[in-house]
Amino acid sequence: GAGVSQTPSNKVTEKGKYVELRCDPISGHTALYWYRQSLGQGPEFLIYFQGTGAADDSGLPNDRFFAVRPEGSVSTLKIQRTERGDSAVYLCASSHTPNYPTDTQYFGPGTRLTVL
Amino acid sequence: EDQVTQSPEALRLQEGESSSLNCSYTVSGLRGLFWYRQDPGKGPEFLFTLYSAGEEKEKERLKATLTKKESFLHITAPKPEDSATYLCAVRNDRGSTLGRLYFGRGTQLTVWP
């Protein structure tokens, strides 16, 4: 079946602009995760949704970052007043639910965000 | 604080030269240790999950093992197509952070013919 998809694959924006990144999870997965990966680093957790609600948003770096998942499927990560330090690859993952001990997160290809 | 350290940062092997990658971790209540493979410009691809010390899993030329403090990814007779960054991650059993994976920085493996 289809994996996790993310759009756009690349996004170039100017400092101070607003951007939206989209994630379409694997069908049937109720949990959705956003991570950020800087060059040479491992992915860093941002936020996790169980259904429509954010179960853990403690990884969001500041209030310029916000994510929604209004119908429990597609999610959008929104970044306001972008800064050059926001440049990174933003990864989305989905899983059935982390409440299951054997739960596995499957990742999408990522969106490469460049803030000029 | 939950933490993952991977070594070496980079590893170059000749085709057929077996070796091991290390993942050391500290976590309050391990609820799974995960290995992923990441190719340039791609998202991490799931390889293995290990849950308890002594557990081992294999897939083709890869074998993952787990102790109470570290995990090893053994690569037997590697081929150039095994070249990638290998990421290790852990999940804890705390309810508030159940969904979060804590990743290491990865080991960049290059296998040359």
Side-chain angles (χ1 to χ4, degrees), chain A residues 103-114:
Chain A
D103 191 56
T104 299
Q105 295 182 22
Y106 295 93
F107 284 81
T111 293
R112 180 176 296 279
L113 175 66
T114 303

Side-chain angles (χ1 to χ4, degrees), chain B:
Chain B
E1 180 180 330
D2 299 335
Q3 196 168 5
V4 175
T5 303
Q6 293 188 245
S7 62
E9 290 185 8
L11 181 63
R12 287 177 54 87
L13 299 174
Q14 189 170 13
E15 185 172 4
E17 179 187 1
S18 301
S19 188
S20 296
L21 282 56
N22 177 264
C23 171
S24 297
Y25 66 91
T26 54
V27 64
S28 58
L30 183 68
R31 194 178 167 91
L33 183 141
F34 302 80
W35 282 99
Y36 287 85
R37 168 191 171 128
Q38 187 172 29
D39 292 296
K42 304 282 182 65
E45 175 189 345
F46 172 72
L47 293 173
F48 304 108
T49 310
L50 301 167
Y51 295 100
S52 57
E55 189 175 1
E56 298 182 353
K57 288 192 177 174
E58 288 189 67
K59 179 180 179 181
E60 296 181 357
R61 295 176 292 282
L62 300 178
K63 178 180 175 180
T65 62
L66 181 66
T67 72
K68 288 187 177 180
K69 293 186 177 181
E70 57 191 355
S71 176
F72 291 93
L73 185 64
H74 307 278
I75 303 177
T76 302
K79 298 182 178 182
E81 53 261 43
D82 295 322
S83 297
T85 295
Y86 290 84
L87 295 165
C88 174
V90 297
R91 194 169 74 190
N92 64 42
D93 64 358
R94 291 197 299 274
S96 61
T97 58
L98 201 59
R100 179 186 302 212
L101 291 180
Y102 297 84
F103 280 89
R105 296 176 64 170
T107 292
Q108 185 175 2
L109 174 67
T110 304
V111 182
W112 47 286

Side-chain angles (χ1 to χ4, degrees), chain A residues 29-47:
Chain A
H29 281 184
T30 60
L32 185 146
Y33 314 81
W34 285 98
Y35 291 82
R36 177 169 70 174
Q37 187 173 26
S38 301
L39 193 64
Q41 305 291 320
E44 177 188 23
F45 173 83
L46 296 176
I47 186 170

